[in-house]
Amino acid sequence: MSSGFIVYGAGVAIVLMCSFYKSTEDSLPELSPQQYFSTLQPGKASLAYFCQVGSLSNSVFLEELKEAVRPLQDYGISVSKVNCAQEEASRYCGKEEGLMKAYLFRGSILLREFPTDTLFDVNAIVAHVLFALLFNEVKYVNILEDLHSLENSLKGKANMIFAYVEAIGTPEHRAVMEAAFVYGTSYQFALTTEIALLESIGSENIQRAHLYFFHCKLAEDLTERCRRTLMEQPLTTLNIHVFVKTMKAPLLTEVAEDPQQVSTIHLQLGLPLVFIISRQATYEADRRTAEWVAWRLLGKAGVLLLSRDSVDGSIPQHANVAFRRAEKEAPVEFLVLDDVDLIIAHVKNHMYAEEIEEDEDGDEEGPDLAIQDDEVEETVFRDRKRPLPLELTVELTQETFNSTVTTSDSIVLFYATWHAVSMAFLQSYIDVAIKLKGTSTILLTRINCADWSDVCTKENVTAFPVVKLYKEGESPVSYAGMLGTKDLLKFIQINRISCPVNIASIQEAEKYLRGELYKDLFGFTSVSVLGLFSPAMTSAKEHFREAGRQLRGSVITGVYSEDDAWILSNKYATTLPAMLLARPREGRIETVSLASTPVQDLVEILANAPLEAFPEITVENLPAYVRLQQPLLILFSDGSISPQFRSTALALARQERVESFTPCWINLKNTPVGRGILKEYFGSLPPLPQLLLVNLHSGGQVYAFPSAQSVTEQNLILWLEKLEAGLENPITILSAQEWKPPLPAFDFLSMMDAPTSQAPTKKVPECMNEAEVRESAEQPQGGKPTAARREPVETLRIKRWNKSSWPKEADEPPQLHKEL
């Protein structure tokens, strides 16, 4: 890994072919070919630029080369220009085919040729030169298997710095190569430009460069992946230097002195210090907490374990954390933070505040972050300088909208540049475009409703952002999933096929049920649905098709209605009409009779079909399970759950007596907000794992499974029976009050009307259906106003109250949100 660095640092020569350009700067010496070649010596560095006398082309490239002289000299690479007369016999003089190429030498040996159009600026020149010199030391990886192989070779031996850059020759690539030149003897460097590789290791924000530190020296087991730390700052040479220095520093330092007097490398690098205050009686637990905090803040702050018993009463009794900013003479801040996530949040908030203070656009008016209660608005403001590759999507206008959506299968994002959620979702939309680049038959487009409001009005867009799918000959389909990359990608991919799919034979139906017909789609859904009908069952079949169309993009549906459909119904012990719910991953098929089933009931069955019997609850999937209006039987676990409990929960879920509950679990490592939930229930963090029954919908009672009992199927059933009989007391009752923002909402209409208080306040028009909006948009000004329309049903279903036999407080009428 280090053998070549000493040689490279000693001397390199680069020869560049170009036409003559009269230099006016002393930083680029001019030599004849004989003079230049006579100076070449092993271990000496030189950059020679060959130019034909009398030509004036390629002057832009020459200017960039002059800018690269000083940084190349910093790495031992000097630069010269060689003027070629017509009679020169050198192989690098007078060759027309070589005029647009650059040549890299070490001594008198040619190493590499570059087309000069790849050396488009000073960053590209420096990056390409260093990358060529360090080619054997900086490993370029294309696929995940190569990265894992490199990891395995380093385990227990050395650490690795892995970087993703969008392209070779970018400023980020230069920064990585400069870091490799300096730190290549200490760490293995790896580089990729493959987005798929970045995605496979779980990276987000894939449109920007990434750098990871792989702690492979700590991993000795080949089956264990190297622990990774992501550098969150932009990839610049200085940021990489600071990041690498923090990786070399001790993970945790124990101190027994006044925090104001402590000095570490973190302070020298401009990073804050976090002190975990420890007592002798709780030393082991405090050290584990400090190590956990240190791993999560690695590269962002220094973490120290401060002994309270060794400091003379200068620490307040109630404080358990101390925070010290990097500024000189900055006072130590003593805090009471009972949760690791609160410590992390405090450090990150401090970092964000510093970024805002150092913003170059100091005269630009932004939101008051001291009182900003809109986290989305705050995030958009902070990320406003991050460029998005918008060219991956087609921007539509009033002139191009209709022609685009009527001639191609199109996804359209309706958004407004002044709307914070729109701009936040635009990033996810671009992430989807990156993932689908070159593979999708569906065109991804966007239209800014701030510029083209007439188009958005005609398309019944009354809120932002909205995503719609347009297919020829079909009505538009609105996307109703989470505003994130994963769910939107699922919606687009499932919509590649018909909904529902027409199955032509028994054999094709069996392949469909086994998950073999659309294998690539089962990465997005775990269930496929097949409706079975005889040819005469036209009404039931049409109901099923309508339900499938309403859930288009969320579930895969198929229809088999041939004369031999009874064969499948007999095989799976059901009668026609019927629905088969196939779960290929679990190897099981469930049956549902469709006799006299209304469309809306079918929609509910299909919507619930992808839900798991014993799911891991996350922030993203929680709404789907809350929608079932059932109490949650939830296990809070600090990591994965045991196979024994999983089998117990699955066996319990299949029993009819517990169909009124939703068994589930939450991994606090994946969803740390669960710790705050437990603290809200118990007052402090209880021992884990913890099994609770949370009755969200009628009464808000929270019950805890007795900690003295083992979690078995029999004990669980007995406990649930006691709950139903009212023999157990809840540990807490959740408040039924509304959730509101911490700050009052602005009544913009009142503000606008304030100067002219005599004018009557206009009533906000209510929502229209799509046909009404189109009709209204097409009416000329001065036409008759449309009649008043009802509130949409969705706004009247803000809260649903489940009437059950559970003990509950006196019923209260649901309260609707009155804030804007």
Side-chain angles (χ1 to χ4, degrees), residues 633-652:
L633 181 61
I634 182 168
L635 176 75
F636 289 79
S637 175
D638 192 20
S640 300
I641 58 176
S642 65
Q644 179 183 359
F645 184 84
R646 179 180 294 275
S647 61
T648 299
L650 288 173
L652 191 68

Side-chain angles (χ1 to χ4, degrees), residues 46-149:
S46 177
L47 171 66
Y49 183 56
F50 285 77
C51 306
Q52 279 290 352
V53 176
S55 177
L56 297 176
S57 63
N58 221 4
S59 59
V60 174
F61 169 66
L62 183 58
E63 290 297 327
E64 294 296 333
L65 180 63
K66 290 177 183 178
E67 294 294 325
V69 169
R70 186 176 297 277
L72 288 176
Q73 287 177 341
D74 291 340
Y75 296 105
I77 306 168
S78 64
V79 180
S80 301
K81 187 179 73 163
V82 179
N83 295 323
C84 295
Q86 291 184 356
E87 64 275 8
E88 295 291 348
S90 170
R91 57 176 291 195
Y92 303 106
C93 292
K95 287 191 173 183
E96 291 296 329
E97 66 273 12
L99 292 180
M100 302 303 292
K101 289 185 179 180
Y103 300 87
L104 174 63
F105 285 83
R106 185 190 309 131
S108 58
I109 301 173
L110 177 65
L111 293 180
R112 186 72 57 85
E113 295 184 7
F114 303 109
T116 54
D117 59 356
T118 65
L119 308 180
F120 43 84
D121 63 10
V122 59
N123 293 314
I125 293 172
V126 175
H128 275 285
V129 170
L130 295 182
F131 194 28
L133 297 178
L134 306 177
F135 185 77
N136 293 323
E137 280 69 27
V138 180
K139 305 295 184 184
Y140 185 85
V141 290
N142 286 302
I143 57 177
L144 186 62
E145 288 73 14
D146 292 344
L147 183 63
H148 286 170
S149 177

Side-chain angles (χ1 to χ4, degrees), residues 475-489:
S475 299
V477 179
S478 295
Y479 170 67
M482 296 283 288
L483 296 181
T485 303
K486 183 179 178 181
D487 284 359
L488 179 58
L489 185 62

Side-chain angles (χ1 to χ4, degrees), residues 158-171:
N159 296 321
M160 177 172 65
I161 295 175
F162 169 71
Y164 160 79
V165 295
E166 293 180 289
I168 302 299
T170 59

Side-chain angles (χ1 to χ4, degrees), residues 171 180 461 514 544 626 734:
V461 175
R514 291 195 300 268
F544 180 81
V626 171
L734 304 180

Side-chain angles (χ1 to χ4, degrees), residues 686-760:
L688 297 174
Q690 192 71 227
L691 180 63
L692 305 176
L693 190 136
V694 184
N695 194 12
L696 292 173
H697 303 286
S698 58
Q701 300 91 350
V702 179
Y703 300 89
F705 183 80
S707 57
Q709 296 184 20
S710 58
V711 182
T712 64
E713 184 177 349
Q714 182 178 3
N715 287 342
L716 272 174
I717 292 175
L718 291 175
W719 179 61
L720 292 174
E721 289 176 348
K722 287 182 179 180
L723 294 182
E724 288 185 329
L727 301 178
E728 293 281 338
N729 294 321
I731 59 172
T732 188
I733 297 178
L734 304 180
S735 172
Q737 68 182 16
E738 293 179 283
W739 291 354
K740 294 183 179 181
L743 294 179
F746 290 108
D747 188 345
F748 292 105
L749 293 178
S750 298
M751 292 180 180
M752 294 168 61
D753 292 337
T756 57
S757 57
Q758 299 300 322

Side-chain angles (χ1 to χ4, degrees), residues 99-340:
L99 292 180
M100 302 303 292
K101 289 185 179 180
Y103 300 87
L104 174 63
F105 285 83
R106 185 190 309 131
S108 58
I109 301 173
L110 177 65
L111 293 180
R112 186 72 57 85
E113 295 184 7
F114 303 109
T116 54
D117 59 356
T118 65
L119 308 180
F120 43 84
D121 63 10
V122 59
N123 293 314
I125 293 172
V126 175
H128 275 285
V129 170
L130 295 182
F131 194 28
L133 297 178
L134 306 177
F135 185 77
N136 293 323
E137 280 69 27
V138 180
K139 305 295 184 184
Y140 185 85
V141 290
N142 286 302
I143 57 177
L144 186 62
E145 288 73 14
D146 292 344
L147 183 63
H148 286 170
S149 177
L150 189 57
E151 274 188 77
N152 291 336
S153 68
L154 296 172
K155 287 178 180 176
K157 302 175 184 177
N159 296 321
M160 177 172 65
I161 295 175
F162 169 71
Y164 160 79
V165 295
E166 293 180 289
I168 302 299
T170 59
E172 293 81 8
H173 180 219
R174 172 185 173 178
V176 172
M177 298 315 304
E178 288 180 325
F181 202 95
V182 175
Y183 296 106
T185 56
S186 303
Y187 306 104
Q188 173 66 62
F189 276 75
L191 181 75
T192 189
T193 57
E194 300 295 329
I195 290 179
L197 178 55
L198 186 66
E199 291 176 337
S200 64
I201 64 174
S203 297
E204 299 179 356
N205 275 344
I206 56 177
Q207 72 272 14
R208 67 176 180 88
H210 282 60
L211 186 139
Y212 286 93
F213 190 94
F214 281 58
H215 303 269
C216 296
K217 204 169 185 178
L218 301 176
E220 299 181 355
D221 186 357
L222 288 180
T223 62
E224 178 186 0
R225 295 263 69 86
C226 296
R227 192 163 192 163
R228 301 191 295 262
T229 301
L230 172 66
M231 190 184 93
E232 296 186 1
Q233 292 76 20
L235 259 66
T236 65
T237 302
L238 179 59
N239 285 343
I240 296 177
H241 168 74
V242 171
F243 181 72
V244 173
K245 286 292 185 183
T246 59
M247 296 301 104
K248 295 172 66 176
L251 177 68
L252 179 66
T253 303
E254 296 191 28
V255 294
E257 57 181 303
D258 186 352
Q260 194 71 54
Q261 306 302 320
V262 173
S263 178
T264 70
I265 190 174
H266 299 89
L267 290 178
Q268 300 169 17
L269 295 173
L271 300 177
L273 296 182
V274 175
F275 298 84
I276 305 299
I277 301 172
S278 172
R279 298 180 184 272
Q280 184 175 359
T282 59
Y283 170 79
E284 292 298 333
D286 294 335
R287 182 173 178 84
R288 287 195 298 271
T289 300
E291 288 178 349
W292 190 11
V293 172
W295 275 113
R296 293 187 61 181
L297 290 178
L298 191 58
K300 305 178 188 70
V303 179
L304 303 95
L305 188 63
L306 174 63
S307 174
R308 181 190 294 271
D309 303 323
S310 303
V311 181
D312 299 333
S314 59
I315 302 176
Q317 285 297 318
H318 65 280
N320 61 351
V321 175
F323 181 77
R324 179 180 169 190
R325 299 193 306 273
E327 294 85 352
K328 190 176 182 180
E329 305 301 332
V332 176
E333 181 182 3
F334 292 97
L335 307 165
V336 180
L337 301 174
D338 297 328
D339 190 274
V340 170

